Amino acid sequence: MLIDSHVNLHAPQFDEDRDAVITRAREAGVGMMVEISDKLSTFEATHGLAMSHFDIWCTVGVHPHEAKDHLAITPEHLIALSERPRVVGIGECGLDFHYDLSPRDQQEQVFRAHIGAARQTGLPLVVHTREADDRMSAILTEEMAEGQFRFLMHCYTSGAELAEIATELGAWFSVSGIATFKAAEDVRAVIRSMPGDRIIVETDCPYLAPVPHRGRRNEPAYIGHVLQALADIRGWSREEAEARTTDAFFALFDRIPRPEGV
């Protein structure tokens, strides 16, 4: 079974053909998807997708771009929303110093609230990090010292040093279509050093379509290209890559029942 651990099916890019996109994913062998929350104003749509489809689960959280609009958010608020059916993670949250669409101190404030919710619920934290390696390392280290939590470095494209620190703190990592890009050898080098039992795959659709679909709208049906890229990078067979990433997925998102025989 193919699993897409990070989809944004609530995005407006899918407004014209959302049902067809989900059907194509199933026809391509995708047996499960995790629909990711990026701001609370669209959480009802995100949660509605999970409630309407047997093979879609969801998270609750605020992307760092949206932090400036969620300064009042608390761990308790996130925890309350996480108690809804089919919510299986906290995030997407973190730091994005590339675009700086929210002030950095506000990004950090909101990120720490998410960490608190993940710590208290035991749900995995879906972490976005871009051009913020030093602060991300510091925050993860500081917060882990306050009390353990599980976390996923989603669509990881940051440096080797942050990857090493995150690995030591117990992180999972997800690989995206970027791994197929010709110019992404630095990303592939980090993928080779990731812990083999804590790697999963994602599309991050509608963004980051893998080769041979690069430049088009991404969708979950393309996750097989990402899985094959991971297999090639790690020297695994396709079957081994699927087995390893499936095991890692259910170890991380352990609120999702693992189907019998998978």
Side-chain angles (χ1 to χ4, degrees), residues 9 11 13-30 33 49 53 55-56 205 217-222:
L9 292 173
Q13 290 93 327
F14 295 115
D15 284 351
E16 299 299 319
D17 63 346
R18 188 170 286 110
D19 289 343
V21 168
I22 293 170
T23 297
R24 281 196 295 273
R26 292 169 179 161
E27 291 172 347
V30 179
M33 294 166 269
L49 281 163
H53 299 279
D55 48 0
I56 299 178
C205 65
R217 182 191 66 174
N218 200 4
E219 56 183 77
Y222 302 158

Side-chain angles (χ1 to χ4, degrees), residues 94-156:
L95 304 175
D96 193 310
F97 293 173
H98 177 77
Y99 288 108
D100 279 329
L101 296 184
S102 289
R104 294 181 180 186
D105 61 330
Q106 296 178 6
Q107 292 185 45
E108 180 172 329
Q109 173 188 329
V110 172
F111 182 34
R112 289 184 188 268
H114 285 73
I115 294 173
R119 183 185 293 119
Q120 292 182 57
T121 61
L123 293 174
L125 186 74
V126 180
V127 177
H128 171 106
T129 183
R130 188 170 184 188
E131 296 180 19
D133 290 23
D134 290 346
R135 283 308 298 151
M136 180 58 68
S137 295
I139 291 170
L140 290 174
T141 301
E142 291 166 11
E143 290 287 345
M144 194 64 74
E146 293 294 319
Q148 292 198 343
F149 56 95
R150 292 178 302 141
F151 66 103
L152 169 68
M153 303 298 278
H154 122 79
C155 187
Y156 192 80

Side-chain angles (χ1 to χ4, degrees), residues 167 170-175 190-201 227 230-231 233-236 240-249 251:
T167 296
W172 276 253
F173 294 85
S174 65
V175 173
V190 174
I191 291 171
R192 293 184 188 102
S193 66
M194 289 175 179
D197 61 343
R198 285 183 267 147
I199 304 175
I200 61 178
V201 290
L227 184 69
L230 173 62
I233 292 164
R234 295 290 302 221
W236 297 338
E240 182 180 3
E242 186 171 336
R244 282 179 173 271
T245 55
T246 298
D247 287 347
F249 175 86

